[in-house]
Amino acid sequence: MDQFTLAHKINIIIHVFAGSTALIVGILILIAKKGRTLHRRLGRIFLVLVAIVIGTGLLGVFAFGRNSFLVVLTLLSAYYAYSGYRISKTKKNVVQLIDVFVALVSVSSGIYFIYFLKSIGMMWSPVTIYATVGALFLIVTYDFLRYLIPAKRYKNIWLYEHIYKMIGAFTALFAAFVGTVFPDYKPYSQVLPSVFGSLLAIGFMVWQYRKGMAKIGNN
């Protein structure tokens, strides 16, 4: 990092520290008792760390001129984390202007980053870039379409949304971490963590479903 300015070095250190800590906190969230005070506190800490990661990532690109696709991954992680947190608070599919605003800003940012990365020359696999932005668009599209689901049918869907989105946020950060540590193995260094995260999310959702069904059977 000798070619970097002191401010840039500090920004990198904060970015790496926040990202690494977020991964550790994410693992603790996965193994912590769900719904308890510790789980909720860790969730809030995770959100703060994700905000720091994306903030320092944006500084790296726009203030220090770094060509980093990994910012797109942190953008995806940020939206997953925000939306996953919000659904755990509201537990309803009622339109909230703040949620619509954040979704539109996220989609606009994704489109802009595709343009920006093209303009400065993509150093990362276009397939990975488009897949990442496509994942962002899909989850935002779902968030808008879920408003059409009747409240009676929606019921506990929010819980599965929360699980999927928070694990998705963790996975995006994990993919960014692996992509940084193993840059010579792209796009697999991003694809494989994403596949792992998807399987992990499915596993937790199935576990939650079976847990819910077991409670109904015992009543």
Side-chain angles (χ1 to χ4, degrees):
M1 296 196 304
D2 293 339
Q3 72 273 26
F4 299 153
T5 64
L6 177 60
H8 192 181
K9 290 179 180 179
I10 293 174
N11 187 67
I12 292 174
I13 291 172
I14 295 173
H15 181 80
V16 172
F17 176 78
S20 300
T21 306
L23 288 176
I24 295 172
V25 172
I27 293 173
L28 293 176
I29 291 173
L30 290 174
I31 62 178
K33 188 77 172 180
K34 307 301 180 286
R36 298 295 178 86
T37 300
L38 178 61
H39 181 79
R40 292 193 293 269
R41 286 180 178 174
L42 288 173
R44 288 192 287 270
I45 293 173
F46 181 76
L47 289 174
V48 172
L49 291 170
V50 170
I52 294 173
V53 169
I54 194 169
T56 51
L58 290 173
L59 276 176
V61 172
F62 295 111
F64 303 113
R66 298 297 296 165
N67 181 2
S68 180
F69 152 70
L70 298 179
V71 174
V72 181
L73 279 172
T74 54
L75 174 65
L76 177 63
S77 178
Y79 184 76
Y80 269 130
Y82 169 82
S83 187
Y85 170 76
R86 283 288 295 166
I87 198 61
S88 70
K89 298 295 289 184
T90 63
K91 298 180 175 63
K92 298 177 181 178
N93 59 334
V94 178
V95 178
Q96 299 284 339
L97 290 181
I98 182 63
D99 297 332
V100 173
F101 174 75
V102 171
L104 292 177
V105 168
S106 298
V107 168
S108 300
S109 299
I111 294 173
Y112 172 74
F113 267 108
I114 289 179
Y115 165 78
F116 178 75
L117 291 172
K118 277 188 172 182
S119 68
I120 62 177
M122 288 188 177
M123 295 176 62
W124 294 77
S125 168
V127 173
T128 308
I129 294 175
Y130 293 132
T132 302
V133 176
L136 174 62
F137 289 177
L138 282 176
I139 199 65
V140 169
T141 299
Y142 166 78
D143 280 348
F144 283 127
L145 292 178
R146 69 185 171 88
Y147 294 135
L148 302 177
I149 303 175
K152 290 183 179 180
R153 289 182 176 272
Y154 191 71
K155 294 183 179 179
N156 290 328
I157 292 178
W158 71 267
L159 182 56
Y160 298 101
E161 281 187 35
H162 176 70
I163 293 171
Y164 178 80
K165 290 174 179 177
M166 296 309 293
I167 292 180
F170 171 81
T171 301
L173 283 182
F174 182 51
F177 173 80
V178 175
T180 301
V181 176
F182 302 104
D184 295 333
Y185 295 92
K186 58 179 183 272
Y188 303 107
S189 54
Q190 290 84 51
V191 173
L192 294 180
S194 298
V195 172
F196 167 75
S198 297
L199 294 175
L200 185 64
I202 291 172
F204 269 94
M205 287 189 288
V206 170
W207 172 79
Q208 182 61 47
Y209 175 78
R210 290 181 174 177
K211 181 180 176 182
M213 294 301 292
K215 285 184 178 180
I216 294 175
N218 293 331
N219 293 332

